[in-house]
Amino acid sequence: MISAHKSKPIGIISLVLLIQVMLSGCGAQTSSAGEEAESPKDKITVHIGVQGSTGVLPYAREKKSFEKAFEKAGAEVKWHEFASGPPHFEALASGRLDLGATGGTPLIAGQSGGVDFKAIAVTTDGKKGNSIVVPKGSTIKDLKDLKGKKLAVAKGSSAYNFLYMALERAGLTDEDIKIVQLQPDEARPALDNGSIDAWSTWEPYVTTAVFQTGAEVLVSGEDLNIYAPGFLIARTKFTEENPELTVLFLKTYEEVRKHFVENIDEVSKEIADSEHVEVDIIKTVLTNTTAILSPTTDEFKKAHQEQADFLYEAGGITKEIDTSNVIENRFVEQALKRITNENYSGRLKEDAYFSILSFFD
């Protein structure tokens, strides 16, 4: 572990302090979604956060899957787009967001900052999701070669924590490199024009850079065997006031996810056509970020806690936290059970139908 006294990642410390300042101003605000939930006469508006264009949630938004499911339950959906995970938690804290999906590092910062939320399911193990990429023809061939180089990363993202864990593996600290805080839409041009020497990021940005510019993956989470589970998150008050909608959200997500992974060629083409990107790029991205829907198992809990412990040791958060305090598995367990029961019921009806047909043969 990096000693908190040797080298504290200033960027992470700044991030946590910034989140705490933002949250202190959000506590007194009232959620419009919460107000709607308190009045049974009004249709409930469910606020869902989304980032990127290649995951299950963006695909579901395109297909209006949640709109169709929630309309039957007397609710409507409003989408909120974010560039990365950390802004989700400011929106959760102020009551402007009910549900969303982020990597694990924003969860840790959000919990440290006092945001009242629950991690209601795991969406990926994250091993292939984060990577450090370098431009085509770069002289950087090993993590140790990053010493003295300029590297971009989005503050507070899962790639941010991954970067510090990768540096530790190489015996480096944040003081050995120059870290530039850039969101993906800023970092990619900087990598292309040589303004930075490397970029710690996540999918789909890794694959897009590799395909479009010949960039190379220096190291990935899979190379370092670093689990970085991604999560579906929910505002705690929303889950308390709307447990059925929480389960419906997860059930709908799983139905979309199943189609998503079982029809990867079709889905890749749809997304590629919509985003005007090569199909091979999208298919590679989807393969590298295998979508799942799972309760937070002991393995995922361990990986997530290790990330939080690492941030504490590095001085990224000022107190030790027990990440299990925000994990809530009961909603996803209910959702998966309902899908199983529905499938079983459907098979029974089908078997009965064919039994009747065979009787009259």
Side-chain angles (χ1 to χ4, degrees):
M1 292 288 184
I2 298 175
S3 169
H5 300 289
K6 285 173 58 180
S7 172
K8 295 188 178 183
I10 302 302
I12 297 183
I13 297 172
S14 300
L15 164 69
V16 175
L17 290 175
L18 177 61
I19 288 178
Q20 290 172 338
V21 169
M22 291 190 297
L23 297 182
S24 66
C26 296
Q29 297 185 34
T30 303
S31 166
S32 59
E35 291 172 353
E36 289 164 343
E38 290 170 1
S39 176
K41 296 180 181 180
D42 296 332
K43 179 178 283 190
I44 296 172
T45 299
V46 181
H47 299 266
I48 305 176
V50 65
Q51 59 176 309
S53 58
T54 60
V56 174
L57 278 184
Y59 185 76
R61 178 176 62 169
E62 187 70 21
K63 295 294 183 180
K64 297 189 181 301
S65 303
F66 288 100
E67 284 84 347
K68 296 170 186 175
F70 278 55
E71 184 178 10
K72 295 177 183 177
E76 60 184 10
V77 171
K78 184 174 182 180
W79 293 92
H80 301 263
E81 192 155 357
F82 301 96
S84 58
H88 281 71
F89 287 87
E90 181 191 354
L92 282 171
S94 64
R96 293 180 290 110
L97 190 68
D98 299 314
L99 301 156
T102 79
T105 305
L107 267 73
I108 294 166
Q111 184 179 352
S112 177
V115 181
D116 193 6
F117 74 96
K118 297 298 180 187
I120 56 174
V122 171
T123 59
T124 177
D125 65 19
K127 287 186 75 172
K128 288 186 177 181
N130 295 310
S131 298
I132 296 174
V133 297
V134 295
K136 181 180 180 180
S138 173
T139 59
I140 299 172
K141 303 298 180 185
D142 185 87
L143 279 171
K144 292 182 179 180
D145 296 335
L146 290 172
K147 189 170 184 177
K149 303 297 185 181
K150 188 183 296 184
L151 188 147
V153 66
K155 180 189 295 184
S157 66
S158 59
Y160 204 85
N161 196 37
F162 170 74
L163 168 61
Y164 282 92
M165 296 181 82
L167 290 175
E168 185 201 33
R169 298 286 180 90
L172 301 175
T173 73
D174 59 310
E175 294 179 353
D176 293 314
I177 62 175
K178 183 176 181 181
I179 295 178
V180 183
Q181 312 288 349
L182 295 176
Q183 291 294 326
D185 60 344
E186 303 168 310
R188 170 62 189 276
L191 187 76
D192 294 347
N193 65 30
S195 298
I196 57 174
D197 301 301
W199 178 22
S200 182
T201 189
W202 61 92
E203 293 288 4
Y205 305 109
V206 175
T207 295
T208 303
V210 170
F211 269 81
Q212 294 179 343
T213 69
E216 300 175 355
V217 175
L218 178 67
V219 67
S220 70
E222 187 174 38
D223 295 330
L224 300 178
N225 197 35
I226 295 175
Y227 278 97
F231 294 87
L232 290 176
I233 55 174
R235 188 167 54 88
T236 300
K237 188 176 180 182
F238 176 83
T239 67
E240 293 171 347
E241 294 177 343
N242 304 284
E244 283 299 313
L245 290 182
T246 305
V247 173
L248 179 60
F249 170 75
L250 290 160
K251 181 174 178 289
T252 305
Y253 184 97
E254 173 59 9
E255 290 166 348
V256 175
R257 184 205 67 82
K258 187 175 180 182
H259 173 80
F260 194 85
V261 299
E262 291 179 354
N263 300 274
I264 194 166
D265 290 332
E266 173 192 331
V267 170
S268 296
K269 187 176 186 310
E270 287 182 278
I271 296 175
D273 289 344
S274 174
E275 297 298 315
H276 307 292
V277 178
E278 295 175 38
V279 175
D280 287 345
I281 294 179
I282 300 299
K283 190 171 181 179
T284 301
V285 169
L286 299 187
T287 301
N288 286 344
T289 53
T290 303
I292 64 173
L293 185 72
S294 167
T296 306
T297 63
D298 290 342
E299 184 178 37
F300 291 138
K301 286 179 182 177
K302 180 174 181 290
H304 190 52
Q305 185 63 53
E306 285 175 350
Q307 288 189 45
D309 293 342
F310 177 86
L311 284 175
Y312 175 71
E313 289 287 335
I317 55 177
T318 57
K319 61 182 180 180
E320 291 184 274
I321 59 173
D322 182 352
T323 57
S324 66
N325 289 338
V326 301
I327 292 171
E328 179 58 83
N329 281 332
R330 63 189 174 96
F331 298 112
V332 69
E333 289 169 350
Q334 289 178 40
L336 293 174
K337 184 176 181 180
R338 288 185 188 181
I339 291 173
T340 299
N341 290 341
E342 288 175 7
N343 290 340
Y344 179 69
S345 176
R347 287 195 300 272
L348 286 180
K349 290 179 181 178
E350 185 177 304
D351 290 344
Y353 172 75
F354 284 110
S355 294
I356 292 171
L357 287 182
S358 63
F359 177 80
F360 288 103
D361 285 345

